[in-house]
Amino acid sequence: MTAPDATDRGEQLRAPAEELYAAELAALTSDDSRPRPPNWRLSPQAVVTYLMGGTTPSGAAIAPKYIGNRRLIETAVATLATDRALLILGVPGTAKSWVSEHLAAAISGSSQMLVQCTAGTDENQIRYGWNYALLLAKGPTREALVATPLMRAMAEGRIVRFEELTRMGSDVQDTLITVLSEKVMPIPEIDGSVSAVRGFNLIATSNTRDKGVNELSSALKRRFNVVVLPLPASLEEEHAIVLKRVAEIGSGLQLPEIEPAWAEAGHFGAGAIDARSLAANLVGAVVKDPVQDRVAMQEYLETVVRERQDWADLYTAIREVM
């Protein structure tokens, strides 16, 4: 007997943006009378409202998905309305993937046409693959093709996302050049091709701290318009971002309701964040390399935390788990 799918039981660990914010997207769609580019679910102005927050003409409240410079989001949306792809750059924690997901959800109605780039990503995962049973039985035919997210997005006129583009080898990256410049994917095995439908575009993200791991070629860079997401401009902005994301994560994981939600404090503590519940999580988040990161953490602990009298409980708690 086959077990029911987790999504049928409402047990998704993480729902995509288009499902989490379906009510907001529906409200924006019903109130959006402005012109929309071909195959876009919303007008560019409504997409920006969805990302930055606001109110629809009928009064529906739209929560902000990105807290930061509105102009950057306007530039990103305007780029996707043209034939140029969008490259979102930034250091870790600047919401590159978050913005990419919500842009795709608002524009195409789906954020799940996704390629997670790694050192092991090869050309077949970018362009197309083959159903080898059909390939052996019938030879190279369209029926034997296995469409990748890129091919599907081209055929359906949607947004495809490439996360951490520079993690992928340079020779594999360059398979995108023909797609981005000619808007066509050749399939020489069947003497055919797939042409992009209006509405197709590509959003790529890249971590600026990894620049040079597999740096983009000049030819590929020219196919992108670049938006750099900065670090939070103020402590208040960073505080608002952290509270928002922690609340969303806690809701998605169905953690006990505390303010703000935190797994260890919620399940094992007194229902509030204290030094003891914070210490182990802080060390786990910082110390990725047991040698170099531990030395840096120890130095910060002794030179900064120890000197602050009101952090004495945190100093003691971290010492216990280091």
Side-chain angles (χ1 to χ4, degrees), residues 215-227:
E215 192 170 359
L216 304 183
S217 67
S218 297
L220 185 55
K221 284 180 182 177
R222 289 196 296 270
R223 271 69 182 180
F224 285 100
N225 195 30
V226 177
V227 168

Side-chain angles (χ1 to χ4, degrees), residues 199-281:
F200 163 74
N201 215 325
L202 185 151
I203 304 174
T205 65
S206 180
N207 179 353
T208 52
R209 288 188 179 173
D210 287 340
K211 185 178 180 181
V213 173
N214 290 296
E215 192 170 359
L216 304 183
S217 67
S218 297
L220 185 55
K221 284 180 182 177
R222 289 196 296 270
R223 271 69 182 180
F224 285 100
N225 195 30
V226 177
V227 168
V228 180
L229 297 185
L231 290 166
S234 65
L235 181 61
E236 291 75 17
E237 186 175 293
E238 185 169 3
H239 182 258
I241 292 169
V242 171
L243 285 181
K244 175 178 171 57
R245 291 295 292 131
V246 167
E248 289 166 343
I249 292 169
S251 176
L253 296 177
Q254 298 182 353
L255 298 178
E257 289 190 11
I258 61 175
E259 189 59 42
W262 189 282
E264 184 168 341
H267 287 301
F268 302 111
I273 295 176
D274 55 18
R276 182 177 176 277
S277 61
L278 180 62
N281 291 280

